[in-house]
């Protein structure tokens, strides 16, 4: 049984269809990249997979005993207010609340785990700093550390490298790849960067009103649509 | 100075004054704890709207002659809090406009009902004390004091138990919901507790001045501190101190309790604001 199955899904806002005919599945250990143009519905798809919104039609099923609190999420834009007083540590620690039940405090183990996740994403030295005073790239890493804290099996990342300079973006992708390969975390990642998708992912889903491609990363590289997008991406650079 | 102290000790000889003093401080503490969440969630106006709803409910309770007003006012305010919080989240309904409507409607309706049906000989006095709080701390009834005491303790306990969850739901509700935290449930909890605090605070400062107890401590703390925990702790201390100072002044000078506390709040806020601008170095965790 797959971890996540998407069957005949249609995504729409107020009756206005964004994507239709979505059919794909994600198995444990997969690294799926979702690519497509701006406004093609990638973020909407992620939110639907998280059950933050309902699909207009079709069905999304969790399998393999996947629960909501096994999932970590890195939103594309967090609607965090500019004047919110919160330290990096407070934010990263809050991730484990999805498994803490009624317990009103953090255990030593949870604090340790938050520490580890900050170390992994390279923000440990910022632990006591105020979140809103960090640079965009640093904030992104903090949110990734938080996503890691919430995730035990599945990570959903919406443009994790957006707003990072190329080198920081590269580091971010390497980090995610490590999480996938070393820690066995299943990853679903939205990205603009088609070449990164091919380099790191095991599977690619290309959406644009209709899904244009779903299959392995190698297969995407061979496909017509993949070739077109790769060329276009090269042309942009 | 000596006369002031002797007046105070005279007052504090009555156990009743001592209790009222403690209750006043507890109420201030409760409002400041929730104030931070309210301000950060951009819900400060809900506090204002709810206090007017509570006034309307109180008017109805007075007119139909209910024994204990709180039994009517509390459920009505809690229900309105939950509904208003929902409306505020729904982008299609203009949340703030809805709240403004409900709030003036309850105010007008409440006054009208009182005017038409109240048997009281001193109507404007009654209305004034509901809007601006008891003129003297001694006018709180014994039942009020005990009810406030219990409710404040419940609010403080709930806040401590759900502190981390309140943080995460305030900071990023979408993330909380996405990772399996019942964000909707916690919003209802926050709304309920806010409603309780407002009904309690009505006894102390009256329905028009409640927002001050909610907003000033939070804004002052956010001016000086940058972690959620320090902001909560500072705003609690701020609120307790200003309430205590305000109550003492009110006793000594015979000024209205609510207005005095709020004035002290305003002055203390100005102080924090100035400190925040003068000492950027003071900004720390
Ligand atoms: N809250 C919303 N209400 C109505 N339409 C929306 C909303 N959010 C996104 N859309 C529309 O849905 C489409 C897909 O958006 P999105 O999923 O954010 O795209 P992507 O993440 O691929 O750039 C866009 O055309 C956008 O205009
Ligand atoms: Mg997007």
């Amino acid at each position: 049984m797959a971890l996540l199955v998407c069957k005949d899904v249609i995504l729409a806002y107020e009756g206005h269809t964004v994507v239709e005919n979505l059919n794909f599945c994600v198995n444990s250990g997969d690294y799926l990249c979702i690519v497509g143009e701006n406004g093609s519905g990638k973020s909407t798809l992620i939110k639907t997979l998280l059950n933050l919104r309902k699909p207009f039609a079709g069905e999304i099923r969790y399998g393999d005993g996947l629960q909501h609190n096994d999932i970590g999420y890195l939103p594309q834009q967090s609607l965090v207010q500019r004047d919110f007083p919160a330290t990096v540590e407070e934010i990263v620690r809050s991730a484990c609340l999805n498994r803490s039940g009624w317990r009103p405090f953090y255990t030593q183990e949870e604090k340790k785990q938050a520490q580890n996740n900050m170390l992994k994403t390279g923000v440990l030295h910022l632990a006591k700093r105020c979140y809103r005073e960090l640079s965009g790239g640093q904030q992104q890493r903090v949110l990734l550390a938080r996503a890691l804290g919430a995730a035990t099996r599945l990570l959903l990342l919406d443009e994790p490298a957006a707003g990072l300079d190329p080198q920081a973006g590269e580091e971010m992708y390497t980090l995610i790849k490590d999480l996938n390969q070393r820690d066995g975390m299943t990853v679903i990642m939205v990205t603009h960067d088609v070449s990164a998708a091919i380099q790191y992912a095991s599977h690619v889903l290309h959406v644009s009103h209709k899904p244009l491609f779903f299959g392995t990363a190698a297969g995407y590289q061979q496909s017509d649509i993949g070739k077109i997008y790769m060329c276009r991406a090269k042309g942009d650079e | 100075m000596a006369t002031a102290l002797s007046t105070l000790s005279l007052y504090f000889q009555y156990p009743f004054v001592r209790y009222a003093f403690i209750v006043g401080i507890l109420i201030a503490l409760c409002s400041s704890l929730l104030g931070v969440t309210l301000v950060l969630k951009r819900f400060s106006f809900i506090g204002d709207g709810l206090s007017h709803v509570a006034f309307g409910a109180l008017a109805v309770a007075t007119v139909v002659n209910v024994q204990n007003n709180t039994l009517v006012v509390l459920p009505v305010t809690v229900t309105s809090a939950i509904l208003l919080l929902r409306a505020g989240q729904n982008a299609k309904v203009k949340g703030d406009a809805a709240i403004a409507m409900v709030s003036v409607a309850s105010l007008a309706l409440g006054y009208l009902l009182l005017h038409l049906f109240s048997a009281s000989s001193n109507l404007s006095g009654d209305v004034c004390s509901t809007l601006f709080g008891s003129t003297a701390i001694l006018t709180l009834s014994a039942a009020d004091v005990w009810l406030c005491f219990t409710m404040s303790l419940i609010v403080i306990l709930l806040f401590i138990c759900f502190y981390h969850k309140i943080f995460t739901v305030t900071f990023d509700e979408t993330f909380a919901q996405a990772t399996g935290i019942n964000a909707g449930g916690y919003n209802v909890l926050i709304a309920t507790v806010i409603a309780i605090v407002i009904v309690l605070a009505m006894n102390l400062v009256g329905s028009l001045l409640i927002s001050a107890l909610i907003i000033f401590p939070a804004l002052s703390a956010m001016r000086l501190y940058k972690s959620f925990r320090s902001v909560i702790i500072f705003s609690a201390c701020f609120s307790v101190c200003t309430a205590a100072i305000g109550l003492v002044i009110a006793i000594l000078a015979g000024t209205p309790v609510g207005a005095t506390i709020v004035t002290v709040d305003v002055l203390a806020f100005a102080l924090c604001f100035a400190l925040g601008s003068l000492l950027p170095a003071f900004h720390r965790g």
Side-chain angles (χ1 to χ4, degrees), chain A residues 25-217:
Chain A
C25 64
V26 180
N27 290 300
S28 247
D30 280 1
Y31 184 164
L32 171 69
C33 264
I34 303 174
V35 296
E37 309 202 322
N38 277 329
S40 56
K42 304 180 297 292
S43 298
T44 310
L45 173 58
I46 292 279
K47 284 182 196 147
T48 315
L49 294 181
L50 285 164
N51 202 17
L52 290 173
R53 38 179 299 121
K54 295 256 168 288
F56 181 69
E59 190 188 8
I60 289 169
R61 246 178 318 166
Y62 290 176
D64 255 355
L66 182 72
Q67 296 291 323
H68 246 101
N69 56 6
D70 295 325
I71 302 176
Y73 173 43
L74 176 71
Q76 180 170 19
Q77 317 124 325
S78 261
L79 301 163
V80 176
Q81 294 107 16
R82 255 173 290 122
D83 56 350
F84 202 106
T87 61
V88 168
E89 190 176 65
E90 284 179 316
I91 293 167
V92 176
R93 280 182 181 174
S94 75
C96 66
L97 290 170
N98 61 352
R99 269 167 276 123
S100 67
W102 294 97
R103 180 161 34 78
F105 50 85
Y106 295 127
T107 59
Q108 283 305 319
E109 197 182 330
E110 284 168 341
K111 289 180 186 170
K112 188 112 197 214
Q113 194 206 6
Q115 191 103 355
N116 265 336
N117 288 333
M118 286 189 276
L119 188 68
K120 271 186 200 163
T121 59
V123 290
L124 189 54
H125 62 290
L126 303 172
K128 302 287 176 197
R129 289 278 301 278
C130 176
Y131 175 78
R132 63 173 197 256
E133 289 171 352
L134 303 179
S135 76
Q138 288 171 326
Q139 289 186 344
Q140 200 77 350
R141 283 156 180 275
V142 172
L143 295 186
L144 181 67
R146 180 182 66 162
L148 287 181
T152 52
R153 302 177 64 186
L154 177 63
L155 261 180
L156 279 93
L157 310 170
D158 199 344
E159 310 224 2
L164 301 188
D165 57 67
Q167 199 202 327
E170 204 62 34
E171 280 171 26
M172 183 67 102
Y173 286 131
T174 315
L175 176 67
I176 296 164
K177 182 73 184 168
D178 274 357
L179 289 168
N180 172 248
Q181 294 204 320
R182 226 183 25 219
D183 304 350
M185 188 76 78
T186 310
V187 178
I188 300 179
M189 176 173 90
V190 171
T191 177
H192 256 102
D193 189 346
V194 183
S195 58
I198 288 168
Q199 188 183 347
Y200 297 106
S202 65
H203 293 76
V204 174
L205 171 69
H206 190 129
V207 289
S208 157
H209 197 59
K210 287 198 168 67
L212 298 177
F213 180 88
F214 173 69
T216 59

Side-chain angles (χ1 to χ4, degrees), chain B residues 18 35 45 76 92 94 178 225 229 257 268:
Chain B
R18 292 203 293 270
F45 52 91
V76 171
K92 265 182 268 172
K94 283 268 168 284
Y225 288 92
R229 202 170 65 154
V257 177

